[in-house]
């Protein structure tokens, strides 16, 4: 029996991982869907939610800086590596969580978590036999309003898809801050990535044939991975994120 859907919330620094973790948990609970949270970021100083399990109880970056006399970046790398040694405690604490969604807020510096061996090891260890696993990749819509910025964010999400090898949903976050025109343009790109072709031609000096190929590739990627425009602040479109996650968890059936 699958007890948990463990959802790793990943994305670049400042994309809204912690805000989404907190507000999506609240939204799930408001829909009578049990949900818990794990903070896996040993470097975060302040969280505006109270995680059910917190890696900082075992590893905290400030202690690592002092103990090993490291600079901030080295200490974050060391902290994520050290977190591996405490996974058994995280797993033991997970046993006490209620059946349902477990939202895992990951370290702010995505590259340290996702591209180091310790990060993928943590993911594989938390995906035990009693869990299914998925990931939500957060894109900051406010820095994706230009076609080439948007494309580079898509590449990041595709890279994460290969790195984590988990069913992925891309949440294009902070749509509440966009002007109506920007929002409509973004929605248009999401429904038809090739609609960017003309805009890209004018906006960048990248080779046109190459651009066409890139767009085709990304359009294929978007057929495999759902993209949902959301606001972690206003909870807009959370039901769509739930829809995709619930397909993985219960084949689309709601909790009873
Ligand atoms: P790090 O872990 O530090 O990398 O950040 P994060 O990815 O966890 O992002 P966080 O949730 O801390 O959000 C970063 C900033 O964006 C904060 O000021 C949030 O209040 C803001 N923010 C997050 N989501 C939204 C959103 O949907 N709309 C708006 N307007 N602001 C948001």
């Amino acid at each position: 029996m699958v007890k948990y859907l463990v959802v790793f919330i990943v994305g670049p620094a400042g994309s809204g991982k912690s805000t989404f973790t907190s507000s999506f948990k609240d939204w799930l609970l408001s829909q009578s869907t049990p949900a818990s949270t794990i903070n896996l970021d040993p470097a975060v100083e302040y969280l505006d939610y109270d995680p059910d399990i917190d890696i900082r109880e075992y590893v905290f970056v400030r202690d690592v800086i002092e103990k090993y006399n490291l600079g901030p970046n080295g200490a974050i790398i060391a902290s994520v590596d050290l977190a591996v040694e405490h996974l058994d405690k995280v797993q033991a604490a997970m046993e006490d969580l209620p059946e349902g969604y477990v939202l895992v807020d990951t370290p702010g510096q995505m590259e340290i978590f996702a591209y180091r061996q310790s990060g993928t090891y943590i993911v594989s260890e938390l995906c035990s036999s009693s869990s299914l696993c998925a990931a939500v990749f957060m894109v900051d819509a406010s820095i994706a309003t230009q076609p080439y910025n948007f494309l580079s964010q898509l590449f990041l999400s595709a890279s994460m898809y290969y790195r984590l090898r988990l069913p992925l949903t891309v949440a294009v976050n902070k749509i509440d801050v966009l002007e109506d025109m920007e929002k409509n343009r973004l929605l248009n790109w999401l429904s038809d990535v090739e609609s960017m072709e003309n805009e890209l031609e004018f906006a960048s000096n990248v080779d046109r044939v190459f651009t066409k190929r890139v767009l085709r590739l990304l359009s294929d990627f978007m057929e495999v991975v759902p993209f949902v425009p959301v606001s972690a602040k206003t909870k807009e479109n959370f039901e769509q994120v739930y829809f995709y996650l619930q397909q993985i968890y219960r084949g689309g059936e709601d909790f009873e």
Side-chain angles (χ1 to χ4, degrees):
M1 173 67 187
V2 174
K3 196 171 169 193
Y4 305 117
L5 179 68
V6 181
V7 185
F8 294 90
I9 315 298
V10 292
S15 54
K17 297 179 290 293
S18 301
T19 310
F20 180 81
T21 302
S22 167
S23 61
F24 193 53
K25 177 188 174 180
D26 291 346
W27 184 88
L28 287 167
L29 293 177
S30 75
Q31 306 294 309
S32 308
T33 300
S36 316
T37 52
I38 301 179
N39 170 48
L40 270 193
D41 188 351
V44 68
E45 294 278 341
Y46 169 78
L47 282 178
D48 66 358
Y49 67 99
D50 191 15
D52 297 287
I53 301 172
D54 194 341
I55 196 68
R56 293 175 301 176
E57 281 181 28
Y58 316 114
V59 191
F60 187 41
V61 76
R62 265 199 267 143
D63 302 333
V64 174
I65 288 175
E66 270 178 34
K67 187 167 175 194
Y68 299 98
N69 199 19
L70 291 168
N73 286 327
I76 295 173
I77 291 173
S79 304
V80 174
D81 289 349
L82 284 168
V84 169
E85 288 172 24
H86 299 278
L87 275 182
D88 53 340
K89 291 167 211 142
V90 174
Q91 284 166 316
M94 278 176 78
E95 295 287 314
D96 296 330
L97 298 178
E99 179 183 343
Y101 279 68
V102 179
L103 307 176
V104 184
D105 191 3
T106 63
Q109 277 157 303
M110 179 186 92
E111 64 283 11
I112 291 176
F113 179 68
Y115 298 111
R116 284 182 69 79
Q117 215 171 357
S118 45
T120 45
Y121 180 75
I122 291 171
V123 170
S124 65
E125 282 297 294
L126 296 188
C127 295
S128 70
S129 54
S130 58
S131 325
L132 284 170
C133 279
V136 171
F137 183 88
M138 308 296 298
V139 168
D140 184 339
S142 68
I143 55 167
T145 53
Q146 295 304 321
Y148 41 92
N149 290 344
F150 178 72
L151 275 186
S152 64
Q153 300 269 344
L154 293 195
F155 272 115
L156 264 187
S157 60
S159 157
M160 197 54 55
Y161 183 57
Y162 275 100
R163 186 69 187 144
L164 297 177
R165 283 173 286 152
L166 292 175
L168 184 74
T169 299
V170 177
V172 184
N173 188 33
K174 307 191 191 181
I175 53 165
D176 59 295
V177 299
L178 300 186
E179 305 280 339
D180 282 348
M181 207 182 75
E182 287 174 328
K183 189 171 164 182
N184 291 335
R185 195 161 159 233
L186 187 69
L187 293 178
N188 193 30
W189 296 341
L190 289 177
S191 60
D192 173 20
V193 76
E194 290 181 34
S195 68
M196 270 187 259
E197 193 173 337
N198 286 337
E199 293 189 61
L200 274 169
E201 208 183 321
F202 289 110
S204 76
N205 52 7
V206 177
D207 181 81
R208 191 159 181 230
V209 177
F210 177 68
T211 299
K212 254 185 184 310
R213 288 185 185 151
V214 163
L215 288 173
R216 171 51 54 92
L217 185 75
L218 289 171
S219 160
D220 290 349
F221 175 61
M222 289 170 85
E223 275 177 27
V224 182
V225 170
F227 278 64
V228 185
V230 300
S231 165
K233 274 263 159 82
T234 66
K235 304 189 172 88
E236 190 173 343
N237 288 339
F238 275 13
E239 66 288 347
Q240 275 190 51
V241 178
Y242 172 75
F243 171 82
Y244 290 115
L245 293 174
Q246 197 63 7
Q247 301 284 331
I248 298 159
Y249 195 11
R250 295 276 154 101
E253 295 291 318
D254 283 332
F255 267 81
E256 281 158 18

